[in-house]
Amino acid sequence: MSSAVKFLSIRKGLLEFLLLKIISADKVYVADILGRLEGTEFETQEGTLYPLLSRMRRENLVDYEWQESEAGPPRKYYRLTASGRTQLGELNDYWRQINRTVPELERKVP
Amino acid sequence: MNKVTTVNLNGRAFQVEEQAYEFLRAYLDEAARLLADDPDRREIRADLEQAIGDKGAHYLRAGRNVLGETEMTRILEEMGPVETGADAEPARQRAEAKAEAPSPRRLYLVKEGEMIAGVCNGIAAYFGIDPTVVRLVFVILLFLSGGLVALAYLVLMFVVPEARTAEERAAARGLPFNAQELVDQAKRHYAGLKDSTQRWRDRRRRDKERAFWRASERHDYEGPHTRPFDRPQPGYGAQVAAGIALPLIGVISAALTVAGIVIAVSLLATGEVFGWRLPIDVPAWVAILGLVAVYAIVTVPLRAVRYASYEALGPRRSWFVFWDGVLWIALVVLGWWLVATYVPGVSALFQDLFHHWRDIRFDIAALVGVR
């Protein structure tokens, strides 16, 4: 099994965290999110994003407004909510913590 | 040249080829199934249709009018299977369990490309062999057995449930079930269809099914080309049990009815039943009422089983209910004829009844208070 496949569940698990990061940087359309992740290890698809974003919105981490676009129907424009920012902060802390623990485990125990 | 359907994807109209339509429908049906427990399912499905429409519009810009099979496949592969998030455990567990565990292989009636009722098709799907081979064997057996095999066919037609949902269709072939498999299956199915009559029959059946689902939809229904999944699908075992139970119930209740009529006539005509005489001071009409009461009580469990079986049948129900009624009437008539011809004394009873009719009329008149 390749490393990409072994890390599959990790990548799936991190997706929500990454979405919070992306949306915190700037207000985005769903297409922008997909474009941002395209070519990276976390490349994903509409089938994954729509249900996930919908759940994040139910949990009040993100919110959207309808934006008229030049070509075609109005689109959802996502932004982070206050509790979304708090959640992102917590997740960032946890992420830093993990990044300290993981290299530690390779060291020999004295 | 292929037939073209117009679909409405979240408000935009698209022309899609026949095969492309089948893939799209398979995708959206699967999405509806996976999202059944999601409170935002309507919105998500609208979003999915919107995204599919956007990608479709992209292909159409290059001077084409119609989305074909290749384009639709590419679009749906880009969309990816619908993933319900980490919190939506039931839906995800279901999908993952299906993708990992070997799918149970069950005998279903397979109605795509059916000749009569899909029995041979279902058997072929179960064993993974060519349906034509199964049909050939069936015809040979028909001649060898002198027609008895046709009886077995009839029984199977009633007892074996039809594979209706995509999930059941996968189980009919013992295939692992996920969205990609569905798309592949649709491809293989269309490649295999050479007979235009079969294709026509399939299309007619699809149109009928669509009309039925639209008529029976509840308020949850949205989107013109996705099927509602509100009603929990009755299990395989339940459907088979219902298919067996209903004819049996029909036979038992018809027998009881015939017996009841014979007893009633006997009581009225001679005041006795098979040698047992009514007590003197009990008028015949009380006995009749008692008989009706006993019949009603005895048939309560029968009726309960019958209605439970109707519930377990799902959309095939109205067909079954109608024929069940016809079967019951036929059984009563048959039972009556058997009894009248072979049980000694019954026709004599009827002669007696006619002779005593005047007396009975007087009894009833006296009861009602008319002179």
Side-chain angles (χ1 to χ4, degrees), chain A residues 9-83:
Chain A
S9 48
I10 293 184
R11 282 182 283 134
K12 278 193 180 172
L14 278 175
L15 192 55
E16 186 177 336
F17 178 33
L18 300 178
L19 287 184
L20 287 173
K21 279 186 179 281
I22 295 175
I23 301 177
S24 78
D26 200 1
K27 285 198 198 172
V28 281
Y29 297 113
V30 174
D32 298 332
I33 301 178
L34 287 170
R36 198 68 207 280
L37 292 172
E38 195 178 340
T40 70
E41 296 90 341
F42 300 96
E43 183 166 350
T44 183
Q45 295 170 304
E46 283 90 345
T48 313
L49 268 196
Y50 283 124
L52 183 52
L53 281 171
S54 155
R55 181 173 58 76
M56 286 165 74
R57 182 171 151 267
R58 262 204 313 280
E59 294 170 358
N60 198 28
L61 298 171
V62 298
D63 199 4
Y64 67 77
E65 56 193 23
W66 290 104
Q67 275 278 336
E68 295 291 336
S69 72
E70 341 73 48
R75 289 172 202 288
K76 293 181 180 176
Y77 206 36
Y78 278 91
R79 63 172 179 82
L80 220 54
T81 61
S83 39

Side-chain angles (χ1 to χ4, degrees), chain B residues 15-137:
Chain B
Q15 313 254 71
V16 299
E17 266 182 8
E18 219 176 349
Q19 291 98 305
Y21 172 75
E22 292 299 327
F23 298 165
L24 179 59
R25 211 176 90 117
Y27 182 87
L28 291 174
D29 281 355
E30 176 61 4
R33 190 190 73 91
L34 288 171
L35 293 171
D37 296 327
D38 195 312
D40 292 322
R41 57 186 170 274
R42 282 199 219 200
E43 202 176 311
I44 298 175
R45 276 154 66 176
D47 284 338
L48 291 170
E49 286 191 11
Q50 179 69 43
I52 295 175
D54 289 342
K55 294 178 195 285
H58 180 75
Y59 283 105
L60 290 180
R61 222 177 284 161
R64 297 172 56 107
N65 271 358
V66 176
L67 290 173
E69 181 188 341
T70 352
E71 287 90 35
M72 187 57 78
T73 315
R74 222 173 288 157
I75 291 174
L76 294 178
E77 278 170 1
E78 268 178 48
M79 291 289 296
V82 169
E83 304 252 343
T84 51
D87 281 9
E89 277 299 52
R92 192 176 74 135
Q93 270 175 357
R94 255 189 279 130
E96 279 188 350
K98 293 269 154 60
E100 286 163 13
S103 193
R105 180 176 281 229
R106 296 205 184 107
L107 183 61
Y108 280 102
L109 297 181
V110 171
K111 295 265 178 175
E112 288 110 29
E114 59 170 356
M115 280 267 130
I116 306 172
V119 170
C120 291
N121 241 1
I123 297 178
Y126 185 83
F127 289 111
I129 54 183
D130 193 357
T132 318
V133 171
V134 177
R135 289 200 191 107
L136 205 62
V137 168

Side-chain angles (χ1 to χ4, degrees), chain B residues 5 15 24 37 53 66 68 71 81 93 144 156 168 203 231 253 272 284 290 326 339 351:
Chain B
T5 310
Q15 313 254 71
L24 179 59
D37 296 327
V66 176
E71 287 90 35
Q93 270 175 357
L144 286 180
L156 285 176
E168 288 175 338
R203 218 178 299 137
R231 211 182 269 146
S253 90
E272 64 177 40
V326 170
V339 165
Q351 316 281 19

Side-chain angles (χ1 to χ4, degrees), chain B residues 49-331:
Chain B
E49 286 191 11
Q50 179 69 43
I52 295 175
D54 289 342
K55 294 178 195 285
H58 180 75
Y59 283 105
L60 290 180
R61 222 177 284 161
R64 297 172 56 107
N65 271 358
V66 176
L67 290 173
E69 181 188 341
T70 352
E71 287 90 35
M72 187 57 78
T73 315
R74 222 173 288 157
I75 291 174
L76 294 178
E77 278 170 1
E78 268 178 48
M79 291 289 296
V82 169
E83 304 252 343
T84 51
D87 281 9
E89 277 299 52
R92 192 176 74 135
Q93 270 175 357
R94 255 189 279 130
E96 279 188 350
K98 293 269 154 60
E100 286 163 13
S103 193
R105 180 176 281 229
R106 296 205 184 107
L107 183 61
Y108 280 102
L109 297 181
V110 171
K111 295 265 178 175
E112 288 110 29
E114 59 170 356
M115 280 267 130
I116 306 172
V119 170
C120 291
N121 241 1
I123 297 178
Y126 185 83
F127 289 111
I129 54 183
D130 193 357
T132 318
V133 171
V134 177
R135 289 200 191 107
L136 205 62
V137 168
F138 173 72
V139 170
I140 293 175
L141 282 179
L142 196 65
F143 282 116
L144 286 180
S145 71
L148 238 58
V149 159
L151 198 65
Y153 188 94
L154 272 179
V155 170
L156 285 176
M157 226 176 88
F158 276 91
V159 167
V160 175
E162 176 190 338
R164 275 184 303 269
T165 69
E167 183 181 336
E168 288 175 338
R169 265 180 260 144
R173 295 177 172 86
L175 289 174
F177 179 64
N178 54 50
Q180 188 54 49
E181 189 64 52
L182 258 174
V183 176
D184 291 338
Q185 227 186 73
K187 275 190 204 165
R188 266 178 264 134
H189 168 64
Y190 260 88
L193 272 189
K194 292 161 204 131
D195 191 352
S196 58
T197 324
Q198 278 176 329
R199 218 177 308 193
W200 174 82
R201 222 185 254 135
D202 281 356
R203 218 178 299 137
R204 277 220 59 212
R205 191 178 49 83
R206 283 255 157 74
D207 292 339
K208 253 190 283 174
E209 270 180 30
R210 224 178 292 145
F212 174 87
W213 279 110
R214 274 211 205 101
S216 68
E217 78 199 21
R218 300 219 284 253
H219 62 274
D220 203 28
Y221 180 74
E222 75 91 35
H225 292 280
T226 54
R227 263 195 241 168
F229 276 88
D230 344 271
R231 211 182 269 146
Q233 197 68 14
Y236 182 82
Q239 291 185 56
V240 173
I244 297 176
L246 279 176
L248 279 181
I249 301 274
V251 168
I252 296 175
S253 90
L256 280 178
T257 308
V258 170
I261 295 179
V262 168
I263 296 177
V265 167
S266 174
L267 277 177
L268 281 176
T270 62
E272 64 177 40
V273 171
F274 304 123
W276 176 83
R277 182 143 215 119
L278 273 182
I280 298 293
D281 46 354
V282 176
W285 64 268
V286 169
I288 302 292
L289 277 183
L291 185 67
V292 169
V294 166
Y295 180 82
I297 294 172
V298 166
T299 55
V300 161
L302 282 181
R303 249 178 290 154
V305 176
R306 175 181 268 153
Y307 289 135
S309 304
Y310 286 161
E311 267 310 304
L313 284 179
R316 263 215 297 185
R317 184 182 311 183
S318 46
W319 180 90
F320 238 106
V321 170
F322 173 73
W323 286 108
D324 198 40
V326 170
L327 179 73
W328 185 83
I329 294 175
L331 282 172

